[in-house]
Amino acid sequence: AEKARADFLANASHELRTPLTSLAGFIETMRGPAKDDPESWDRFLEIMYGQTERMRRLIHDLLSLSRIELNEHLRPNQKVDLALVVAEGVEALVPVARDKGLELELIQSAETAPIYAVRDEMVQVIQNLIDNALKYSPDGTAVRVEVSAGLDLEQARTFAGRRWPNAARISIVQSRPDPKARFAVFRVSDEGQGIDHLPRLGERFYRVDEGRDRSVGGTGLGLAIVKHIVARHRGGLMVESEMGRGSAFGIWLPLTSQSSSVPEPVPRDEDK
């Protein structure tokens, strides 16, 4: 635990040090060599604004992760319709997909999917996974969002992350439910290049493509946040990916009629 804490602080400090160093450098330049060159200030200020936004996103995600971990042992008790929350999340991100030249498709095989959840945290999970799929999808491709409900554990796992025969896959969070439990499932799949290093997914600050992640505004904490939210909700999270075909992230959560009988989850959490 002490080593994980030290690693986390070192990574967080490194992530903040880079934009701070950049800001300090531009301020020094504007006060010194470029003091009498106001024409270059607009370019400098644009870069400085970008670095400030990067720190803002990082601090927001750090605070969000801390808050989720603090409450991870508390089981949610609000009744939420996952199908409705997913539909609203897709609707909100359709303009973003359109601007990027992508198709965002919702495939809903269940009209309702009642679960016990914290609605805001479910919204965060849904938006995070869809937004990531949109960020890393090539122009002209599609991102598909699927929802189903009433599945047993084996069916839920298959729906979430066992759909592509030749794909590599990994379970990031697993639950140990009652054999009679039924689940709601949410899956986001894209047509990107795929993910080569699945075992490290969910680690804090890990980026599949560091240069590209930074350029699109990634903090390296998004999937870690998703992982802890899913663990708090006593669900499971699976990823499957095939190079050249794309990636899919699937989550299964116990339906309300079975939620009270679902034991603790088992997160695959090397950094905990």
Side-chain angles (χ1 to χ4, degrees), residues 27-41:
I27 291 172
E28 184 177 350
T29 300
M30 293 172 71
R31 294 176 64 187
K35 183 177 181 180
D36 299 320
D37 184 16
E39 293 182 0
S40 63
W41 285 16

Side-chain angles (χ1 to χ4, degrees), residues 18-270:
T18 302
L20 279 172
T21 301
S22 176
L23 284 171
F26 280 110
I27 291 172
E28 184 177 350
T29 300
M30 293 172 71
R31 294 176 64 187
K35 183 177 181 180
D36 299 320
D37 184 16
E39 293 182 0
S40 63
W41 285 16
D42 285 344
R43 180 168 57 88
F44 292 159
L45 289 171
E46 187 67 27
I47 297 172
M48 292 167 68
Y49 176 77
Q51 295 297 324
T52 304
E53 282 295 292
R54 178 180 166 188
M55 286 192 292
R56 184 189 62 78
R57 288 191 299 268
L58 179 60
I59 291 170
H60 175 274
D61 282 354
L62 285 170
L63 291 174
S64 180
L65 182 59
S66 177
R67 183 177 61 253
I68 291 164
E69 287 186 318
L70 183 65
N71 296 319
E72 194 167 346
H73 65 289
L74 300 175
R75 299 185 66 168
N77 56 12
Q78 305 171 24
K79 196 170 183 179
V80 174
D81 185 351
L82 181 65
L84 178 60
V85 176
V86 170
E88 291 175 351
V90 170
E91 185 178 3
L93 289 170
V94 164
V96 178
R98 189 181 299 119
D99 290 344
K100 293 177 177 289
L102 302 170
E103 178 187 356
L104 181 55
E105 179 183 8
L106 174 61
I107 303 171
Q108 200 163 328
S109 58
E111 292 185 4
T112 62
I115 61 173
Y116 285 123
V118 178
R119 183 182 175 87
D120 287 347
E121 292 185 1
M122 282 294 100
V123 169
Q124 191 172 8
V125 167
I126 291 162
Q127 289 185 341
N128 188 302
L129 294 181
I130 297 176
D131 190 53
N132 278 349
L134 295 175
K135 283 179 180 177
Y136 304 115
S137 293
D139 292 348
T141 60
V143 171
R144 293 179 178 83
V145 180
E146 301 172 70
V147 181
S148 188
L151 309 181
D152 62 29
L153 181 59
E154 191 62 26
Q155 292 170 332
R157 287 175 172 169
T158 298
F159 188 96
R162 296 175 178 169
R163 305 265 289 277
W164 300 340
N166 299 321
R169 56 184 56 87
I170 188 170
S171 292
I172 296 179
V173 181
Q174 301 182 54
S175 59
R176 293 174 179 168
D178 184 287
K180 298 179 181 179
R182 288 289 183 261
F183 296 86
V185 189
F186 160 67
R187 172 183 166 102
V188 179
S189 59
D190 62 52
E191 298 174 355
Q193 64 182 10
I195 302 170
D196 200 16
H197 303 292
L198 290 182
R200 296 197 61 188
L201 288 179
E203 291 183 20
R204 298 166 186 172
F205 300 109
Y206 174 70
R207 295 178 172 90
V208 176
D209 184 341
E210 187 161 342
R212 188 179 181 191
D213 279 5
R214 291 185 191 280
S215 68
V216 296
T219 63
L221 292 172
L223 195 56
I225 291 172
V226 169
K227 176 178 69 175
H228 286 287
I229 291 176
V230 172
R232 181 188 180 187
H233 286 72
R234 280 49 179 176
L237 168 61
M238 181 178 287
V239 182
E240 66 177 337
S241 184
E242 183 177 339
M243 301 305 293
R245 177 173 184 171
S247 304
F249 291 76
I251 292 169
W252 60 92
L253 300 162
L255 292 169
T256 52
S257 59
Q258 299 291 339
S259 294
S260 59
S261 63
V262 180
E264 299 293 315
V266 183
R268 186 192 66 82
D269 194 354
E270 299 89 341

